[in-house]
Each structure stands twice: as structure tokens, then as C-alpha cells.
């Protein structure tokens, strides 16, 4: 079974991957959503979305867009880069995404329109391969659909994906309006995995934040080929090492083994350094704010610490506030893995 880092806007970038890799990393890293038209226009910031370090072979490029043509052209461009796959986002339920016709809107459009988009992307990747580009797995990340979805509608949609050459499906088993509320319906992941078990793998996404929740999810979807972790990885970049030790003890002594003790201050300081190294100055504040909104939840005075970090005006002030917090609360600095 694979452990996978989810696509997260303003988080799934190279600086964050370095933090996760400190603890042995995971099997695949999905990038934050890359807007297909923006990528094709190659504006001043697009090159930062194409950084693939520190482990290029583990990168899955996630594309979002509203039109088949731009998705296909962007996939063709990405085929020339590193990475192991291209993923089409058909599950984002943020209103600013789906109301434009992207994200989960692809599940709500006429099925033949979505089929044409998948077919165009698959054709673009196949053509790139014929011209010497390494094979890129085509995958789709989706939800269950609208709140009034039926099983027949959902499986008709996923059947279409498989018919058109999608090689992996990641399912977050909630509807468009459920967002992150309520328990994910992991039974749909299991049904999907059994439906395609001789054809393609299915990853489970949603609701996993520790070993106990991972075990619960797998008890309901034992045929899932992978677990995709999102916000919990931002809070605890070491979560993949914990899950590997608990769920796959045979891998515990692999070369990617993690340190036994976590220095929470040094991890955060290193992240700030890497944000400055791998992101443009215009992105520094938002990237730091997004990370620390989750990371600070680990500590004794989480709300105070979070407020301090979110209001930091610069990376240097972020460093000063980190050092100040751990000087006041030295017991929070170190923890066992």
C-alpha cells in the first residue's frame, strides 16, 4: 500500500516536500493545483509550480481547468518534465473553483463533455510518449458528486474514466456540500477498489489524521491501494513515518527511515528557509501562514502560537517568534516519533 501526500493549495510545493522528506518521505507527492491556462501562458510565477524537488520521480502534477483543450496542452507540457503522473482535479468543491467549471464541476457536466476532456488529455500524454517523453500515469481525483448523487451515477462516471484510459482514481468519499463535514463514506472506496481491482488502483482520501483513523479507514476499505493524507501532513510532516511504522512494519528499516526524535523548532525554521529558497517573495507570507495555521496545532498554547505566526510580517519575524515561543515553552520543542 502506498502513502501519498495530497494536493493542497499553497502547501504542496517544494519547501513542504523537503519537510516531509526529513522523516523518510512518502511514496508520491501530488502538487498543488496547477491552472492549465496559466501554465500555458507561462506568467511570472508558473515556474515555481514546476519545481519537482527533492524527489522528482515521486511527483504527480495536478491540473485544474475548465476546457479540454487547455488541459490537454498543459498535460503535454508537463509530460516533458519529471514526475510519475498527471492528475486531473475533478473533486475540488471550493466555490471559486467549481463555479468556474473546474474541480467537481466536471462530475456535474454532461458525461460526454467530461469524457472528451479525459480523452484529450490521454491522447496528449500518449503522443508525448511516442515522441520520447517518459510515460506519465493519468489519474483523476474526485468526490461522490452532488448531494443528490446516486450510486448508479457515480459508478457510471468512474466507469467512463476507466474506459477512457484513466490509470488511477483517488476518491474523497464526500459530496460537494459536505466538504470536510461528517465521516467520509469509505464503503464507496471499497466498492470502487473491488470494481476495478484487476484494472487500476484506487486511493482513499479524507478523514485520516493519525494511525487510529487510518486503521479505521482501512477496516472499511481494505482493498484501497493507497492512503492520501492532506491537512494532517501539514500539521505533522512526520505522519507518513508514523503510519509506515504502524501499518507497514516490514518497511520500518527501509533506507528512508526517520530520526527517532523531532526538533519542532528546527523543522519550522528549516521550512521558512526553504520557502524563501523555493518560492517567490510574493508568496512567502501566504505560504508561511498556511503552514503555520496547521503546524501550531501541535503545541500547548496552540491558539496563541498560531496567532503570533499568522500575524508575522516577514520571514525574519516568523523566525523570531518561533524562537521566542520555544524559549518560553521548552517542553514543546522535542517529541518522539
Amino acid at each position: 500500500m502506498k502513502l501519498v501526500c495530497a494536493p493542497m493549495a499553497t502547501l504542496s510545493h517544494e519547501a513542504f516536500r523537503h519537510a516531509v522528506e526529513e522523516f523518510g518521505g512518502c511514496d508520491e507527492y501530488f502538487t498543488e493545483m496547477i491552472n492549465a491556462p496559466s501554465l500555458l501562458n507561462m506568467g511570472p510565477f508558473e515556474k515555481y509550480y514546476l519545481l519537482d524537488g527533492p524527489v522528482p520521480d515521486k511527483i504527480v502534477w495536478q491540473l485544474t481547468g475548465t476546457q479540454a483543450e487547455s488541459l490537454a496542452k498543459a498535460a503535454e507540457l508537463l509530460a516533458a518534465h519529471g514526475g510519475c503522473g498527471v492528475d486531473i482535479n475533478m473533486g475540488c468543491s471550493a466555490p471559486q473553483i467549481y463555479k468556474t467549471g473546474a474541480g467537481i464541476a466536471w462530475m456535474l457536466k454532461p458525461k460526454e463533455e467530461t469524457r472528451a476532456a479525459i480523452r484529450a488529455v490521454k491522447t496528449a500524454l500518449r503522443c508525448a510518449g511516442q515522441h520520447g517523453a517518459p510515460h506519465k500515469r493519468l489519474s483523476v481525483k474526485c468526490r461522490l458528486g452532488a448531494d443528490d448523487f446516486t450510486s448508479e451515477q457515480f459508478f457510471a462516471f468512474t466507469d467512463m474514466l476507466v474506459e477512457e484510459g484513466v490509470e488511477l482514481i483517488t476518491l474523497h468519499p464526500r459530496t460537494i456540500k459536505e466538504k470536510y463535514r461528517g465521516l467520509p463514506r469509505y464503503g464507496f472506496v471499497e466498492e470502487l477498489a473491488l470494481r476495478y481491482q484487476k484494472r487500476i488502483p484506487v486511493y482513499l482520501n479524507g478523514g485520516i489524521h493519525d494511525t487510529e483513523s487510518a486503521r479505521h479507514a482501512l477496516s472499511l476499505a481494505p482493498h484501497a491501494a493507497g492512503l492520501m493524507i492532506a491537512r494532517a501532513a501539514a500539521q505533522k510532516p512526520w505522519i507518513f513515518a508514523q503510519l509506515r511504522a504502524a501499518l507497514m512494519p516490514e518497511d520500518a528499516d527501509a533506507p528512508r527511515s526517520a530520526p527517532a526524535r523531532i526538533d519542532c523548532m528546527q523543522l519550522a525554521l528549516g521550512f521558512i528557509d526553504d520557502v524563501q529558497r523555493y518560492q517567490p517573495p510574493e508568496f512567502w507570507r501566504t505560504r508561511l501562514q498556511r503552514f503555520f495555521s496547521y503546524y501550531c496545532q501541535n503545541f500547548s498554547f496552540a491558539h496563541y502560537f498560531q496567532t503570533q505566526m499568522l500575524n508575522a510580517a516577514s520571514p525574519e519575524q516568523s523566525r523570531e517568534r518561533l524562537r521566542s515561543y520555544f524559549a518560553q515553552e521548552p517542553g514543546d520543542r522535542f517529541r518522539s516519533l
Side-chain angles (χ1 to χ4, degrees), residues 240-255:
F240 297 106
Q242 292 177 325
L243 292 177
R244 186 175 297 110
L247 304 178
M248 295 169 280
E250 67 276 7
D251 286 354
D253 296 324

Side-chain angles (χ1 to χ4, degrees), residues 97-135:
I97 300 297
Y98 81 80
K99 287 185 178 180
T100 68
I104 199 171
W106 285 105
M107 298 188 73
L108 311 179
K109 295 177 182 181
K111 189 168 64 175
E112 291 310 307
E113 182 178 349
T114 305
R115 181 191 296 274
I118 292 294
R119 183 173 296 174
V121 173
K122 185 69 175 182
T123 300
L125 292 176
R126 187 181 296 117
C127 289
Q130 291 171 350
H131 289 86
H135 172 74

Side-chain angles (χ1 to χ4, degrees), residues 8 17 35 57 63-64 66 94 116 131 189 194 200 203 206 222 226 228 250 268 273 285 289 298 314:
M8 295 176 281
R17 292 192 292 271
N35 182 271
D57 291 346
L63 281 172
T64 183
T66 64
H131 289 86
V189 177
L194 291 173
I200 67 166
Y203 291 172
M228 178 180 280
E250 67 276 7
D273 291 344
R285 190 172 187 186
Q289 286 176 328
N298 292 303
S314 66

Side-chain angles (χ1 to χ4, degrees), residues 221-236:
H223 289 88
L227 296 179
M228 178 180 280
I229 316 295
R231 293 172 294 169
Q235 180 184 349
K236 301 175 286 188

Side-chain angles (χ1 to χ4, degrees), residues 52-332:
D52 60 3
V55 279
D57 291 346
K58 295 182 180 182
I59 297 296
V60 180
W61 307 102
Q62 192 186 68
L63 281 172
T64 183
T66 64
Q67 301 294 325
E69 182 179 9
S70 61
L71 286 170
K73 288 181 178 178
E76 184 178 10
L77 188 157
L78 290 171
H81 288 262
C84 61
V86 171
D87 184 77
I88 306 300
N89 185 313
M90 293 190 171
C92 182
S93 59
Q96 66 269 29
I97 300 297
Y98 81 80
K99 287 185 178 180
T100 68
I104 199 171
W106 285 105
M107 298 188 73
L108 311 179
K109 295 177 182 181
K111 189 168 64 175
E112 291 310 307
E113 182 178 349
T114 305
R115 181 191 296 274
I118 292 294
R119 183 173 296 174
V121 173
K122 185 69 175 182
T123 300
L125 292 176
R126 187 181 296 117
C127 289
Q130 291 171 350
H131 289 86
H135 172 74
K136 293 286 190 298
R137 180 190 68 197
L138 176 59
S139 61
V140 165
K141 186 173 185 291
C142 62
R143 284 184 172 237
L144 293 173
D147 284 347
D148 61 352
F149 85 100
T150 66
S151 295
E152 291 76 14
Q153 291 171 331
F154 173 70
F155 289 117
F157 178 81
T158 59
D159 285 348
M160 176 273 293
L161 297 179
V162 176
E163 289 166 7
E164 293 302 327
V166 168
E167 299 165 81
L168 163 75
I169 295 173
T170 301
L171 177 61
H172 184 142
R174 291 183 173 110
T175 66
I176 186 171
K177 290 186 178 179
E178 286 174 338
K179 295 187 182 295
Y180 301 106
R181 297 192 304 272
L183 291 175
R185 304 181 217 183
Y186 295 127
F188 278 98
V189 177
E190 179 68 0
E191 287 189 60
L192 206 62
L194 291 173
R195 191 178 188 94
Y196 306 125
Q197 64 178 333
K198 295 183 179 180
R199 301 178 69 181
I200 67 166
V202 173
Y203 291 172
L204 181 156
N205 173 231
I208 299 172
H209 50 84
D210 55 18
T211 299
E212 182 180 355
S213 56
R215 284 186 168 133
H216 173 68
L218 288 173
S219 72
L220 299 176
H223 289 88
L227 296 179
M228 178 180 280
I229 316 295
R231 293 172 294 169
Q235 180 184 349
K236 301 175 286 188
W238 53 84
I239 191 172
F240 297 106
Q242 292 177 325
L243 292 177
R244 186 175 297 110
L247 304 178
M248 295 169 280
E250 67 276 7
D251 286 354
D253 296 324
R256 57 186 175 184
S257 59
R261 190 170 77 154
I262 303 164
D263 185 331
C264 296
M265 185 180 80
Q266 286 302 322
L267 187 159
L269 290 171
F271 178 77
I272 295 171
D273 291 344
D274 284 338
V275 165
Q276 289 190 274
R277 185 175 295 118
Y278 299 114
Q279 296 283 279
E282 294 88 345
F283 287 7
W284 289 351
R285 190 172 187 186
T286 56
R287 271 48 179 172
L288 292 177
Q289 286 176 328
R290 185 77 189 281
F291 175 76
F292 285 111
S293 69
Y294 294 111
Y295 189 68
C296 291
Q297 295 173 22
N298 292 303
F299 306 111
S300 300
F301 297 92
H303 180 70
Y304 165 77
F305 193 15
Q306 184 185 73
T307 300
Q308 288 290 299
M309 297 306 294
L310 295 187
N311 290 329
S314 66
E316 189 49 49
Q317 190 171 72
S318 295
R319 293 185 182 94
E320 292 171 1
R321 292 182 176 187
L322 271 168
R323 293 188 177 100
S324 175
Y325 178 82
F326 288 109
Q328 295 174 60
E329 300 295 330
D332 274 0

Side-chain angles (χ1 to χ4, degrees), residues 6-44:
M8 295 176 281
T10 72
L11 263 175
S12 297
H13 47 71
E14 180 157 344
F16 180 65
R17 292 192 292 271
H18 278 272
V20 176
E21 279 293 308
E22 285 189 32
F23 302 97
C26 59
D27 295 299
E28 294 177 6
Y29 292 95
F30 281 55
T31 66
E32 57 185 318
M33 290 187 296
I34 301 172
N35 182 271
S38 299
L39 180 65
L40 295 173
N41 290 331
M42 270 299 169

